[in-house]
C-alpha cells in the first residue's frame, strides 16, 4: 500500500505542473524512479519481472508519443514508466487501463455536451491520478 500512496503523491505533483505549466518535470520523475527502484531493490517488494513489465509499459507510451508526434505526450509515458518503477507492472497496467477508461468516458462527454472536436487536446495526467485512486481503492477493498 505504501507504494500506491507514493504513486498518488508523485502523480499529484505531476498533475500540478501539468495543469499549471503544461509540462512534466523530468527531474521529479527521475528522482522518484530512482528512489522507487532503490526501495524495491532493498526491500524486494516487487519482482524484477514485475518492475520490467512496468518499464515496458512506460517505454511503450514514450515510443507511441514519439511516433505520433506527441498526440500522446512523452511526459505521460515518463509518468507511466515512473509508476512502473515505483509500484511494479501490475499497478502501472491497472492505473493505465483505468486512466484510459475514465479519459474515454470524459472525452465522449466533452464531445457530446461541450461540443469539443475529435482533435481537441486534453491533459492525460488528471486521469492517471484518478486511475491511481481507483487502483488504490480496489487493492484495499
Amino acid at each position: 500500500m505504501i507504494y500506491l500512496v507514493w504513486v498518488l503523491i508523485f502523480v499529484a505533483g505531476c498533475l500540478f505542473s501539468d495543469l499549471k505549466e503544461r509540462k512534466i518535470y523530468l527531474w521529479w520523475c527521475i528522482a522518484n524512479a530512482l528512489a522507487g527502484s532503490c526501495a524495491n531493490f532493498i526491500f524486494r517488494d516487487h519482482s524484477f519481472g514485475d518492475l520490467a513489465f512496468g518499464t515496458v509499459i512506460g517505454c511503450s507510451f514514450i515510443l507511441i508519443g514519439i511516433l505520433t508526434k506527441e498526440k500522446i505526450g512523452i511526459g505521460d509515458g515518463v509518468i507511466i514508466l515512473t509508476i512502473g518503477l515505483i509500484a511494479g507492472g501490475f499497478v502501472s497496467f491497472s492505473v493505465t487501463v483505468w486512466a484510459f477508461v475514465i479519459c474515454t468516458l470524459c472525452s465522449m462527454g466533452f464531445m457530446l455536451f461541450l461540443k469539443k472536436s475529435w482533435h481537441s487536446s486534453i491533459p492525460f495526467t488528471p486521469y492517471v491520478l484518478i486511475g491511481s485512486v481507483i487502483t488504490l481503492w480496489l487493492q484495499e477493498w
Side-chain angles (χ1 to χ4, degrees), residues 47-138:
S47 69
F48 177 76
D50 191 32
L51 295 174
F53 178 53
T55 303
V56 167
I57 293 170
C59 288
S60 299
F61 259 77
I62 293 170
L63 183 63
I64 290 169
I66 292 169
L67 293 175
T68 62
K69 297 182 178 128
E70 289 204 59
K71 298 283 185 199
I72 294 178
I74 294 172
D76 298 323
V78 172
I79 291 171
I80 300 299
L81 172 64
T82 305
I83 291 171
L85 289 171
I86 293 171
F90 174 75
V91 170
S92 180
F93 182 74
S94 177
V95 167
T96 304
V97 168
W98 281 112
F100 269 123
V101 168
I102 302 299
C103 183
T104 300
L105 294 174
C106 289
S107 296
M108 289 175 16
F110 294 153
M111 287 192 302
L112 289 173
F113 300 114
L114 300 178
K115 305 299 183 204
K116 296 283 183 178
S117 75
W118 179 258
H119 298 288
S120 297
S121 99
I122 56 171
F124 189 63
T125 312
Y127 303 105
V128 174
L129 183 62
I130 294 168
S132 300
V133 170
I134 292 171
T135 300
L136 174 66
W137 180 69
L138 288 176

